[in-house]
Amino acid sequence: MDVARFECNDFRQCRKSGGTLRRRPMYSTMGNRDDKLSYVKLAGVQYGILFMMLALAAGLWRLQVLGAENFRLLAEQNRIRKVPVMAARGKLFDREGRLVVDNYPSASCFLVREQNRNVDADLPLIAKGLSLDLEQLRATLRRYRAAPGYQPIPIKQDISDDERAFIESHRNELPELETVEEQRRLYSRDGFAAHLIGYVGEVSEEDLNNPRFAAYEPGDVVGKAGVEETYDELLRGQDGSRDVIVDSHGREVGYLRTQHAIPGQDLKLTIDNDLQRAAELALGDRNGAIVAMDPRNGDILAMVSRPSFDPNDFAVRINRNDWNKLITDPDHPLMNKALQAQLAPGSTFKILMSVAGLQEGIAQDMKVNCTGGWGPYGFFHHCDEHHGAVDIHNAIPFSCDTFYYMLGDKLGIDRIAKYATAFGYGQKTGIDLPGEQPGLIPSAQWKLKYYHARWYPDETLDVAIGQGAVEATPLQLARIIGGIASGGHLVRPRVVIPDQLPADFRKALKDSFPGSGDAYIPIDPENWTTITDGMYQVTQPGYFHTASSAHLEGIDFGGKTGTAQVMSHAALDKTTKGLITRPNVWFVGVTPSHNPELVVAVLWQNGGFSGYPARIGAKVVSAYVEKQRRLANNLEPVKAAAPAEMSAVWTVPASKANSARQGSHPDRLQAGRFLVQNGQIVASTTPHPAAPHARKSQASSTTAPRPVVSPSQLAAALPSGTGRGQ
């Protein structure tokens, strides 16, 4: 019987039933869609893995080959720390080489953020050890948050010895603290020449946004005013660094190299310490300014502004209370009034009016009868006195307002403005100090431009006596009047001797401080003589001479006073505010009066009477002349003082023979009278015995004066023993 054959899928089942195992092909020629998708996925995975391997290889190449140098430097920085070495700022000297501004050794504390530690947790301990306000310390760190991590953060300057000891004793606990030695500014404690010199301070965030401070970093010290600001590029020098080796905890274990700092350049100023001191003493505590200048070359020999300030307060960091006190003071102690106080120049403007009137051929033949003022346009303009007959020769020493009212009316505002502008009114002088103000000279065009109104002739009368809209600074007046007295040669003022400056810096200086600078305005010699003679008469004794109280015997000294009211006569009658209503008073003096070598401008705000600043200016002129004579060994002989009478009583030991005869009275008492002059005895009486047994001879003891002997010769001639003078 035949056994049925059948196919089965399971091998074990086939063995039991005797069937035939059906074999499936490994690959089907008629594959389904699912099999095709699986193949695409497999290929995509393969290519993805290949791409990732290539990217990983490229990254390793970039890190290991291309970035090898960069990572080597980073690794080196973990081992080496750069500690800044601060450059010493250049010193300042006066024109004779005497020290004006010095430096002193100091140390500052910096916080280094490269320690890979949470410095915020250490701030309370740091604030306590360095006597800092915790919130202020946190604010400092927030300010430097955007700075690179390797940049040290200055947290306290000029630390004390105790604070330095705290840092050293907590080196393990606070490895982020570092001390940096530096030279800090040392100024005169009494504010000597403070406004001219200026001060230094930490660069502010506002400064860092200025392209001028592109090379500075937070924490750098920069000049903030005066010479310190103008010449900061030369004075600051170039900082260095010290590479120290640190361990994993940031502790210093050695050092590699030091890049030495390059000190800043020393500068010689034009000021004369002696004249600067004389000017400061002359002005005292008065609210105002003094400028003393050599009109031949523009050297500022002295510059004073009051009230003043102490630059040492800024050398470290001024506290908030002191700063608020300075900026809220109504007298503006931070303002350099010598070149920033823009005030009506008063009658000092009459020198310019005289030049304009004479050059235009108007003033020569003017004769005025002053009856106390003039008012042709319906408003009466007062004169301080009833001067009577006035011409150009006595108009300057009298300072007659009536004369200049009429002269101004004849000239007109346009010609006045033309001459004033030519001589530098309404313009900066170009001095190498920051913050100079230009002042103002009005004109018909000026009023039309800014006030959209026409100019009235009555306004010219106020301008003619230096009031109305006219404004000038003490520095402008010194340059202008010194230039007029020099025959029309005007110079650019300067406070640093230019020979020591690099050529490119000198050129940049003129571009940075534009102004009227050097100029020559020709003045007819006859007119120049009339003006300078009038200025000389101002300080000479005479009725109506406005500065006769400032006369200096034996010194060729001329000038011009000025009084500028701060309010009208009508307003003065209605107010009782006292000092602030008093007029500002001026004086500009020159010595000698023709072709001067010194010009002095004095401003006393609310000073009241123009004779006062004239006396202040006379003190400065006297100090200058006396020094020049002393240097030339040309001092005037000092008048001899009257002889002083003195008497002396002394004892003379007796000889052995006399002692035996006189028993118990061996010594003799003697007395004498002397006339002493200039340390020498010029006359004397013969010493006579004062003992009782010798009284009979006193009547005949006076003799002719002895030859002149010195006190030392007298002491040698007198016997030794006790003596007393009377």
Side-chain angles (χ1 to χ4, degrees):
M1 177 177 70
D2 295 331
V3 178
R5 307 290 295 184
F6 57 89
E7 293 181 352
C8 59
N9 295 325
D10 186 23
F11 176 77
R12 286 173 296 183
Q13 185 180 9
C14 287
R15 287 185 63 183
K16 290 180 181 181
S17 60
T20 302
L21 179 65
R22 182 171 58 201
R23 300 179 180 276
R24 293 182 178 179
M26 182 172 293
Y27 297 102
S28 174
T29 58
M30 300 296 291
N32 57 29
R33 185 175 181 82
D34 291 339
D35 291 335
K36 292 181 180 180
L37 290 175
S38 298
Y39 172 75
V40 172
K41 289 180 180 179
L42 179 61
V45 170
Q46 290 174 340
Y47 283 113
I49 293 174
L50 177 61
F51 176 77
M52 286 188 292
M53 293 296 293
L54 291 175
L56 181 60
L60 291 174
W61 172 266
R62 181 176 61 83
L63 293 175
Q64 298 291 336
V65 179
L66 298 181
E69 183 65 21
N70 181 45
F71 285 101
R72 187 189 67 79
L73 292 176
L74 292 176
E76 190 75 5
Q77 288 178 356
N78 289 333
R79 186 177 69 96
I80 299 174
R81 179 190 302 161
K82 279 190 175 295
V83 178
V85 177
M86 313 304 288
R89 200 166 176 86
K91 300 178 182 180
L92 299 179
F93 299 85
D94 84 330
R95 65 187 300 108
E96 297 179 4
R98 293 171 291 186
L99 189 63
V100 177
V101 178
D102 199 0
N103 301 310
Y104 70 94
S106 173
S108 296
C109 179
F110 287 75
L111 188 144
V112 183
R113 294 171 291 175
E114 297 178 297
Q115 306 303 326
N116 297 322
R117 56 185 288 133
N118 181 18
V119 297
D120 292 337
D122 297 333
L123 294 184
L125 178 59
I126 294 174
K128 181 179 179 181
L130 298 180
S131 303
L132 293 171
D133 180 75
L134 181 58
E135 291 305 318
Q136 183 180 357
L137 179 59
R138 287 172 174 162
T140 301
L141 265 63
R142 286 195 297 269
R143 177 185 172 191
Y144 287 88
R145 183 168 294 169
Y150 61 82
Q151 179 180 322
I153 300 175
I155 58 176
K156 187 164 187 181
Q157 300 173 335
D158 202 24
I159 59 176
S160 64
D161 292 338
D162 292 341
E163 291 163 346
R164 189 195 293 258
F166 165 79
I167 295 172
E168 294 300 327
S169 62
H170 291 76
R171 182 65 64 187
N172 293 334
E173 303 168 66
L174 304 172
E176 64 267 28
L177 295 185
E178 285 288 346
T179 57
V180 175
E181 304 293 332
E182 58 184 327
Q183 295 287 316
R184 197 168 296 280
R185 253 343 191 199
L186 180 62
Y187 301 97
S188 176
R189 284 292 174 186
D190 58 359
F192 179 80
H195 292 89
L196 183 145
I197 295 169
Y199 58 92
V200 296
E202 184 178 340
V203 63
S204 64
E205 294 182 14
E206 182 180 353
D207 292 335
L208 293 174
N209 295 327
N210 189 332
R212 177 183 165 219
F213 295 92
Y216 294 80
E217 296 180 353
D220 284 349
V221 173
V222 298
K224 290 288 190 177
V227 172
E228 294 279 22
E229 179 176 339
T230 300
Y231 294 91
D232 182 71
E233 180 182 342
L234 300 179
L235 290 170
R236 70 188 303 258
Q238 184 176 341
D239 294 339
S241 62
R242 185 167 59 93
D243 294 344
V244 299
I245 303 174
V246 296
D247 60 15
S248 59
H249 298 285
R251 293 184 293 252
E252 183 177 330
V253 296
Y255 73 93
L256 291 179
R257 66 187 72 86
T258 298
Q259 180 182 352
H260 295 286
I262 302 175
Q265 179 181 338
D266 295 340
L267 292 179
K268 183 178 288 188
L269 306 180
T270 61
I271 65 169
D272 183 327
N273 276 3
D274 299 322
L275 198 63
Q276 177 72 27
R277 182 64 66 189
E280 295 196 358
L281 292 174
L283 188 59
D285 295 330
R286 302 174 181 89
N287 187 358
I290 293 179
V291 175
M293 185 182 78
D294 187 339
R296 299 168 297 182
N297 54 22
D299 285 353
I300 298 296
L301 303 180
M303 180 178 286
V304 184
S305 180
R306 289 288 186 269
S308 188
F309 63 94
D310 187 355
N312 293 289
D313 293 340
F314 297 88
V316 181
R317 178 176 291 175
I318 190 169
N319 63 61
R320 188 179 300 274
N321 291 335
D322 291 342
W323 173 251
N324 289 335
K325 183 178 178 181
L326 286 173
I327 63 176
T328 57
D329 191 322
D331 291 330
H332 308 292
L334 292 179
M335 174 191 285
N336 186 353
K337 294 182 173 64
L339 48 88
Q340 293 179 317
Q342 303 177 97
L343 300 170
S347 294
T348 60
F349 192 74
K350 294 172 182 175
I351 300 299
L352 184 279
M353 290 293 300
S354 300
V355 173
L358 289 169
Q359 291 293 103
E360 292 293 324
I362 297 174
Q364 287 88 338
D365 300 324
M366 273 189 61
K367 294 189 185 331
V368 172
N369 182 31
C370 175
T371 58
W374 193 55
Y377 300 105
F379 181 80
F380 189 77
H381 294 261
H382 291 271
C383 182
D384 290 339
E385 301 286 350
H386 292 66
H387 294 106
V390 180
D391 60 13
I392 188 61
H393 299 286
N394 56 14
I396 294 177
F398 287 3
S399 193
C400 178
D401 289 343
T402 303
F403 180 90
Y404 288 98
Y405 290 147
M406 295 183 180
L407 178 59
D409 190 55
K410 290 178 181 293
L411 284 169
I413 188 59
D414 290 335
R415 280 197 286 191
I416 295 174
K418 182 188 77 170
Y419 277 91
T421 303
F423 278 93
Y425 281 100
Q427 306 165 63
K428 297 180 180 180
T429 66
I431 190 173
D432 49 341
L433 289 176
E436 184 185 9
Q437 298 301 312
L440 175 65
I441 187 70
S443 65
Q445 292 78 12
W446 167 82
K447 187 177 181 183
L448 185 63
K449 179 179 179 180
Y450 291 100
Y451 293 94
H452 307 290
R454 70 183 184 90
W455 185 271
Y456 293 98
D458 193 66
E459 297 175 89
T460 306
L461 274 59
D462 289 330
V463 172
I465 62 168
Q467 299 199 109
V470 183
E471 291 180 351
T473 66
L475 180 63
Q476 280 180 326
L477 292 181
R479 174 182 177 271
I480 292 169
I481 295 184
I484 292 173
S486 300
H489 294 272
L490 296 100
V491 294
R492 179 191 297 269
R494 63 194 186 193
V495 297
V496 171
I497 297 176
D499 296 345
Q500 60 194 318
L501 305 177
D504 56 343
F505 191 90
R506 287 202 302 269
K507 183 179 182 305
L509 203 62
K510 289 187 177 180
D511 296 337
S512 301
F513 297 94
S516 48
D518 297 330
Y520 174 59
I521 314 297
I523 300 176
D524 183 89
E526 186 176 346
N527 298 338
W528 172 75
T529 301
T530 300
I531 293 169
T532 51
D533 286 349
M535 293 174 62
Y536 175 77
Q537 290 299 323
V538 168
T539 62
Q540 300 305 304
Y543 199 61
F544 291 142
H545 289 197
T546 56
S548 59
S549 62
H551 173 69
L552 296 175
E553 191 66 36
I555 296 177
D556 184 359
F557 173 41
K560 184 69 190 76
T561 58
T563 303
Q565 294 175 335
V566 295
M567 58 180 62
S568 65
H569 289 285
L572 281 172
D573 294 338
K574 298 177 182 178
T575 184
T576 57
K577 291 186 178 179
L579 179 64
I580 62 172
T581 66
R582 295 166 61 182
N584 300 322
V585 287
W586 297 81
F587 177 76
V588 184
V590 292
T591 183
S593 57
H594 302 76
N595 295 317
E597 58 188 55
L598 177 73
V599 56
V600 178
V602 181
L603 164 66
W604 184 1
Q605 291 186 251
N606 307 119
F609 175 57
S610 60
Y612 298 149
R615 297 169 195 169
I616 294 173
K619 292 180 180 179
V620 179
V621 169
S622 178
Y624 172 82
V625 172
E626 287 179 4
K627 179 173 182 178
Q628 298 306 309
R629 289 175 175 174
R630 184 171 64 252
L631 294 175
N633 295 319
N634 191 28
L635 288 175
E636 291 187 346
V638 180
K639 293 182 179 179
E645 183 177 352
M646 64 172 292
S647 60
V649 178
W650 65 92
T651 57
V652 178
S655 63
K656 293 183 178 181
N658 290 337
S659 297
R661 288 196 303 268
Q662 295 175 6
S664 62
H665 299 283
D667 297 337
R668 289 188 303 129
L669 185 64
Q670 291 191 335
R673 293 197 306 274
F674 310 93
L675 293 180
V676 180
Q677 187 177 41
N678 296 331
Q680 292 184 323
I681 299 175
V682 296
S684 66
T685 60
T686 302
H688 58 276
H693 67 273
R695 287 176 184 170
K696 294 181 181 179
S697 62
Q698 288 183 1
S700 60
S701 63
T702 302
T703 63
R706 290 188 175 186
V708 176
V709 294
S710 66
S712 59
Q713 291 173 323
L714 175 65
L718 293 177
S720 60
T722 60
R724 59 185 183 272
Q726 178 180 341

